[in-house]
Amino acid sequence: MRQGFRRMATIVRKEWLHIIRDPRTLALVIVFPVMMLVLLGYAVANDVEDIPLAVADLSKTDASRLLVDKLTVSGFFMVTHSAQSEDQILEMLDAGTIKAGLYIPEGFGREVTTGGTGVVQFYIDGSNPTIAQTAQLAVETVSQSTSQEILVQRLERSGAGMTIHLPVDARVRYLYNPNLRKMNFLIPGLVAVILQVQTLLLTAFAIVREREQGTLEQLIVTPVRSWELMLGKILPYILVAFINVAMTVAVGAIWFGVEIAGSIALLAALSLIFLLGSLGLGVLISNVSRTQMQAMYMASFIMMPSFLLAGLLYPRENMPWVAYYAGYLLPVTYFLEIVRGIILKGAGFFTLWNWIWPMAVFSVVVFFASVFMFRKRL
Amino acid sequence: MSAEKAIEAIQLTKRFGDFTAVNQVSFEIPRGEIFGLLGPNGAGKTTTIRMLCGILEPTAGEARVMGYDVAKHAEEVKQRIGYMSQKFSLYDDLTVYENLGFYANLYGVPREKLKPRLAELIAMAGLRGHEKQLTRDLSGAWRQRLALACAIVHEPPMLFLDEPTAGVDPVSRREFWEMIYQLAGQGVSVLATTHYMDEAEFCNVIGMMYRSRLIALSDPDSLREGVIGVLFEVDCQEPGRAELVLKDLPLVQDVAAHGVLLHVQVASEKQRAELEQTLQSNGIVVERIERILPSLEDIFVSLVDHENRQHKRADKD
């Protein structure tokens, strides 16, 4: 046993030397997750706002100005151009200088003040569905609330001093992510997926490299046992992966303002369980790969679904049932829910239990399977 | 009984799918000998060595190394052998000292003996002053000696060397064999594969492998004397015509040109006169006919011819 521990420590020390002797790779390993976080953070999590809008206000009345003001104040639109006709708006949409255009006809103000319906034309560039849907929703909401306001004014003026209250007022309160920021949804997910990618690639490479160099053959003739070799190879990378977790969470909190609502200790403990399984997967991959290239592609088989099916970018509930259930096969799916639960909701161990136990089972099975299958013979 | 044997291989066989890499190889090597396994690339030498080291499991047959069955007692075997693989598998990004220390710790060299042992090995390998150098910066010969030092860090009584001199200059090759001699002198048994026939001269016992089979097993002198009859070196005029004349002679087993000289192989010493007469009757002036010992290369080529002829005959049947 003591000899076994010594052999494992020897492997750890050697593996650590490999890591620090290659500072370029180390820098990449450390910087890559943070870079990915920042890039994805800006690219994906950008909420739709300030949609460039051109306004052709031929009415030039209080009512038309109220409508335009309300659109601007909503934050969804920014008036970047003014136009004189519908044709001009269409030209600008064609050219891509604006994403939406508002045409207010000359008679709008008169219709509104005389109690009729003022019709305006709103153009939306539908080529990006996300922007288009947001714009549509925003313009509908804004026009409704403007209508309400005008209606109330009208009634108050005619109703001789009485105040009007709207009959129904539904008040919505968002829990956990009050400002509905996508960043809050994304950062915890990124922590999970980055961990998955890092551990998978690092361990797979660390073992396949020895196979390529021929040093694995040399190790096989030594008395080292497979679990000593495996643990020895994995431990340094657990440390590296933990640095990654800490850095992504820190960047998420400091840069993007996503603070951890729950227990950091719980997050660390559950990360460790996840890492065990993920590193085990890396070892399994290295068992079936002869070259680093093969390992790379094998890892992609797990990485791509992790990005798509685990619910990092798109909510799993909206996926077709095949994709939905396929997500349950990936350990990162459970871990993602756990990380989101802890960071956003401050959830505790028992609340998350339904996600914890399948992940733990997976990790333990994969870890022992990988030790078992780790072929000491070539 | 097996205690005196370094290696016993009995009908050792390894198949990869349809391909038989090692076919029913049997041999016994006494302790303290240097056993050279010769043969061209692909003959099955490396596969044999890998089975003996416990890296590959034999498909059939069995082998005992230092008295332990390689399949059943792999761990016992591992403690008693050193193995130097084909490519001198060292960690390039570790220093000389770190590579040595790594293996010393893996083999469980006692901590208090660690430092003196490593110092001793560095002195033996002539690497003093280079302890802190990264292995990737070492020349081929130095890497080779470091790999040897790593393989014997735990003082194994049995040493396996797979192509230990590949890619190393002739002077360093000789120095390397000197080190192997010293180890053998201390009682270490050695099995080395090589495809340099001249290196076989350093071995006490020689096995020749060809097409997955062991086709000869003997000490070098008996191989030279016994295996292929008698070899004469013929110095004559018109060697080109002489070669054609001798080829047609029934008693001649083989003729090969070596520069202006001819090497003629016959069954016995007594046929010297007959050779001379035949040449003279064909009008060729003979300067000298001398019996020589065949080189191991000659022997190997002749054995391979013999083996191939048998193959053809077997195919016809």
Side-chain angles (χ1 to χ4, degrees):
Chain A
M1 194 61 209
R2 264 186 55 205
Q3 280 298 326
F5 187 76
R6 181 179 174 195
R7 288 191 290 258
M8 191 187 76
T10 304
I11 303 272
V12 169
R13 212 173 315 131
K14 174 196 77 103
E15 216 59 32
W16 187 246
L17 285 175
H18 289 321
I19 294 176
I20 59 167
R21 289 279 156 80
D22 187 2
R24 218 179 305 173
T25 306
L26 182 63
L28 280 175
V29 165
I30 303 262
V31 169
F32 166 76
V34 174
M35 232 171 63
M36 205 155 94
L37 181 69
V38 172
L39 280 178
L40 279 174
Y42 280 120
V44 184
N46 234 355
D47 293 315
V48 179
E49 49 192 21
D50 291 344
I51 301 167
L53 173 77
V55 176
D57 183 5
L58 304 187
S59 164
K60 297 197 178 63
T61 52
D62 285 347
S64 66
R65 276 189 289 272
L66 178 67
L67 180 63
V68 176
D69 279 351
K70 284 210 156 234
L71 282 173
T72 324
V73 167
S74 74
F76 288 104
F77 299 100
M78 195 166 70
V79 181
T80 55
H81 297 79
S82 65
Q84 306 304 324
S85 65
E86 284 190 84
D87 286 345
Q88 251 187 319
I89 289 176
L90 290 173
E91 267 172 42
M92 282 189 274
L93 276 169
D94 276 346
T97 46
I98 54 168
K99 295 283 178 213
L102 173 66
Y103 175 73
I104 309 175
E106 220 181 322
F108 174 78
R110 195 176 51 245
E111 285 291 337
V112 170
T113 40
T114 55
T117 305
V119 177
V120 299
Q121 182 64 47
F122 202 82
Y123 295 94
I124 300 171
D125 177 354
S127 52
N128 182 331
T130 317
I131 296 180
Q133 278 164 16
T134 313
Q136 189 200 340
L137 209 67
V139 81
E140 278 172 10
T141 317
V142 168
S143 66
Q144 261 172 35
S145 79
T146 314
S147 297
Q148 271 176 13
E149 204 166 303
I150 293 171
L151 218 57
V152 168
Q153 278 173 9
R154 246 186 237 168
L155 283 169
E156 279 175 345
R157 221 171 291 148
S158 63
M162 67 179 281
T163 17
I164 307 287
H165 293 286
L166 290 172
V168 178
D169 183 8
R171 295 190 176 176
V172 177
R173 192 178 134 229
Y174 291 109
L175 297 170
Y176 312 131
N177 185 6
N179 300 322
L180 279 193
R181 290 178 61 226
K182 274 199 185 158
M183 212 56 215
N184 289 1
F185 175 72
L186 196 66
I187 297 262
L190 274 178
V191 172
V193 172
I194 286 169
L195 261 189
Q196 166 92 79
V197 172
Q198 289 287 83
T199 49
L200 213 58
L201 283 180
L202 289 177
T203 36
F205 280 0
I207 293 169
V208 175
R209 190 177 51 208
E210 296 235 13
R211 203 193 293 278
E212 276 185 340
Q213 285 175 343
T215 41
L216 192 62
E217 187 178 330
Q218 200 71 50
L219 285 179
I220 290 168
V221 297
T222 69
V224 72
R225 285 166 219 274
S226 41
W227 73 266
E228 295 158 4
L229 185 54
M230 260 246 338
L231 269 183
K233 281 199 150 284
I234 282 179
L235 282 175
Y237 291 106
I238 286 190
L239 184 67
V240 172
F242 255 99
I243 294 176
N244 281 328
V245 179
M247 283 187 67
T248 27
V249 171
V251 169
I254 295 163
W255 197 317
F256 294 107
V258 182
E259 273 158 32
I260 306 168
S263 146
I264 293 181
L266 182 65
L267 183 63
L270 293 175
S271 298
L272 191 67
I273 297 180
F274 173 71
L275 281 177
L276 218 61
S278 196
L279 291 163
L281 266 181
V283 176
L284 283 183
I285 285 177
S286 64
N287 273 343
V288 288
S289 314
R290 296 275 134 189
T291 60
Q292 298 195 26
M293 191 66 138
Q294 279 178 16
M296 178 80 192
Y297 276 93
M298 292 281 300
S300 313
F301 272 114
I302 298 173
M303 274 152 52
M304 284 311 287
S306 302
F307 270 106
L308 297 174
L309 300 182
L312 169 67
L313 302 178
Y314 315 106
R316 289 179 62 234
E317 288 72 17
N318 297 351
M319 291 177 186
W321 68 270
V322 182
Y324 181 76
Y325 286 104
Y328 282 122
L329 298 177
L330 295 163
V332 72
T333 304
Y334 304 96
F335 188 54
L336 206 105
E337 291 296 333
I338 291 170
V339 177
R340 276 191 186 139
I342 294 176
I343 294 186
L344 295 183
K345 304 184 190 171
F349 183 80
F350 296 103
T351 323
L352 293 171
W353 176 244
N354 278 339
W355 298 105
I356 293 175
W357 74 260
M359 183 183 81
V361 167
F362 180 90
S363 290
V364 169
V365 169
V366 166
F367 184 75
F368 283 102
S370 61
V371 175
F372 215 71
M373 277 176 57
F374 186 72
R375 273 181 249 154
K376 280 191 75 185
R377 288 165 195 266
L378 283 186
Chain B
M1 110 232 128
S2 62
E4 283 82 49
K5 300 277 184 280
I7 307 176
E8 289 169 275
I10 303 151
Q11 300 281 303
L12 204 57
T13 302
K14 181 71 193 178
R15 279 188 282 273
F16 297 105
D18 287 341
F19 174 67
T20 306
V22 173
N23 196 357
Q24 299 180 344
V25 166
S26 302
F27 59 86
E28 281 184 6
I29 307 299
R31 292 197 178 184
E33 301 283 352
I34 302 178
F35 177 47
L37 204 50
L38 311 192
N41 291 327
K45 303 179 310 258
T46 296
T47 308
T48 304
I49 230 176
R50 283 183 171 170
M51 283 192 284
L52 293 174
C53 291
I55 299 169
L56 282 175
E57 233 166 323
T59 314
E62 52 184 291
R64 272 187 288 279
V65 171
M66 304 312 284
Y68 290 96
D69 189 299
V70 291
K72 290 180 203 135
H73 302 286
E75 299 304 317
E76 300 289 342
V77 173
K78 281 174 185 175
Q79 283 290 355
R80 287 167 177 78
I81 61 168
Y83 170 57
M84 191 174 143
S85 68
Q86 226 163 29
K87 294 183 291 181
F88 318 148
S89 317
L90 300 158
Y91 295 102
D92 273 347
D93 51 347
L94 265 52
T95 64
V96 168
Y97 200 81
E98 284 162 352
N99 264 299
L100 268 175
F102 174 69
Y103 286 108
N105 279 307
L106 275 194
Y107 277 109
V109 173
R111 280 178 207 280
E112 64 278 8
K113 286 192 196 157
L114 201 71
K115 268 195 170 173
R117 177 67 184 147
L118 295 196
E120 185 186 342
L121 285 168
I122 282 171
M124 177 210 82
L127 288 166
R128 206 175 271 160
H130 299 281
E131 291 93 336
K132 293 208 169 115
Q133 205 165 340
L134 287 183
T135 309
R136 76 162 69 92
D137 300 331
L138 297 182
S139 72
W142 288 15
R143 291 171 62 86
Q144 174 206 41
R145 296 203 297 260
L146 175 58
L148 176 67
C150 287
I152 59 171
V153 71
H154 54 305
E155 300 179 74
M158 170 86 228
L159 185 57
F160 289 96
L161 309 167
D162 194 5
E163 303 277 353
T165 53
V168 172
D169 66 274
V171 178
S172 304
R173 269 165 65 186
R174 196 158 280 275
E175 283 172 6
F176 181 81
W177 279 105
E178 294 295 334
M179 284 195 263
I180 300 300
Y181 264 133
Q182 277 179 21
L183 288 170
Q186 294 158 18
V188 176
S189 315
V190 179
L191 187 160
T193 69
T194 178
H195 58 257
Y196 296 115
M197 294 295 166
D198 57 327
E199 285 190 349
E201 315 280 349
F202 296 105
C203 304
N204 311 120
V205 187
I206 290 171
M208 287 187 172
M209 278 195 86
Y210 181 67
R211 286 190 175 175
S212 323
R213 291 179 160 282
L214 190 66
I215 56 173
L217 179 68
S218 181
D219 61 279
D221 289 341
S222 331
L223 267 181
R224 285 170 205 277
E225 298 283 348
V227 175
I228 56 167
V230 175
L231 197 64
F232 288 116
E233 189 173 74
V234 179
D235 186 0
C236 62
Q237 285 169 5
E238 300 176 76
R241 197 158 68 84
E243 189 180 348
L244 293 176
V245 168
L246 291 174
K247 252 192 185 138
D248 290 337
L249 215 60
L251 65 99
V252 172
Q253 292 167 348
D254 191 30
V255 187
H258 282 239
V260 293
L261 303 173
L262 292 177
H263 283 189
V264 185
Q265 187 188 317
V266 292
S268 98
E269 174 85 49
K270 293 169 195 150
Q271 285 158 325
R272 179 204 298 255
E274 208 171 329
L275 282 181
E276 197 163 359
Q277 272 175 6
T278 314
L279 286 172
Q280 277 165 350
S281 63
N282 277 283
I284 296 166
V285 181
V286 178
E287 312 277 354
R288 174 174 61 90
I289 292 185
E290 195 178 336
R291 177 160 182 196
I292 55 166
L293 277 179
S295 74
L296 287 168
E297 199 159 336
D298 291 328
I299 293 167
F300 186 76
V301 170
S302 146
L303 282 170
V304 163
D305 278 348
H306 180 71
E307 186 79 6
N308 284 341
R309 273 200 299 275
Q310 279 197 331
H311 249 278
K312 271 186 202 136
R313 208 173 300 146
D315 288 347
K316 267 178 207 158
D317 299 344

